[in-house]
Amino acid sequence: HVQLVESGGGLVQPGGSLRLSCVASSSPPYCMLWFRQAPGKEREGVAAIDIAGVTSYADSVKGRFIISRDNAKNTLYLQLNSLKTEDMAMYYCAAELFVDYRKRLRVNEYTYWGQGTQVTVS
């Protein structure tokens, strides 16, 4: 089993930026995902990336968030820019060996989830 540990959450003002990190216990699977969940809302896949660097973004964050990975460090990143109050949520890292590119923002496609890190925008 792959263990995932997120960090980097915190309090930022609207329009501000934040960078989240996710460290895997071993070499990360090919497909990785950031998803979020706000109180009273469903889980939302935010951004995904595969081992080749092919990315997918939710429409709500396109042009504002950037997903990246450093395979040598077993680490996944999410750069959150131009933050809005509606971005406030718990952000989670997830991993899976293979996910079809058309399904990469679907949270339930991923076997391994982290514990999350809180992003507060106010």
Side-chain angles (χ1 to χ4, degrees), residues 10-18 64-65 80-88 91 119-122:
L11 173 65
V12 296
Q13 295 181 325
S17 298
L18 205 62
R64 298 190 297 121
F65 293 5
L80 301 83
N81 298 317
S82 302
L83 282 161
K84 305 174 181 179
T85 55
E86 50 262 48
D87 295 317
M88 184 160 49
Y91 282 72
V119 173
T120 301
V121 185
S122 66

Side-chain angles (χ1 to χ4, degrees), residues 37-110:
Q37 187 167 33
K41 296 185 177 181
E42 296 181 348
R43 299 183 183 96
E44 177 189 21
V46 173
I49 187 169
D50 70 12
I51 197 70
V54 178
T55 58
S56 302
Y57 293 95
D59 289 341
S60 59
V61 305
K62 284 181 179 178
R64 298 190 297 121
F65 293 5
I66 302 170
I67 188 170
S68 61
R69 63 193 292 170
D70 186 336
N71 294 326
K73 296 182 178 180
N74 292 342
T75 303
L76 177 74
Y77 302 98
L78 185 68
Q79 179 68 41
L80 301 83
N81 298 317
S82 302
L83 282 161
K84 305 174 181 179
T85 55
E86 50 262 48
D87 295 317
M88 184 160 49
M90 284 289 291
Y91 282 72
Y92 301 85
C93 173
E96 184 57 75
L97 279 176
F98 298 103
V99 180
D100 184 86
Y101 76 95
R102 294 168 294 181
K103 300 178 180 180
R104 288 179 178 175
L105 293 177
R106 300 182 182 181
V107 177
N108 289 339
E109 293 292 320
Y110 294 78

Side-chain angles (χ1 to χ4, degrees), residues 28-48:
Y30 283 177
C31 297
M32 301 192 75
L33 171 77
W34 285 102
F35 71 93
R36 65 189 181 186
Q37 187 167 33
K41 296 185 177 181
E42 296 181 348
R43 299 183 183 96
E44 177 189 21
V46 173

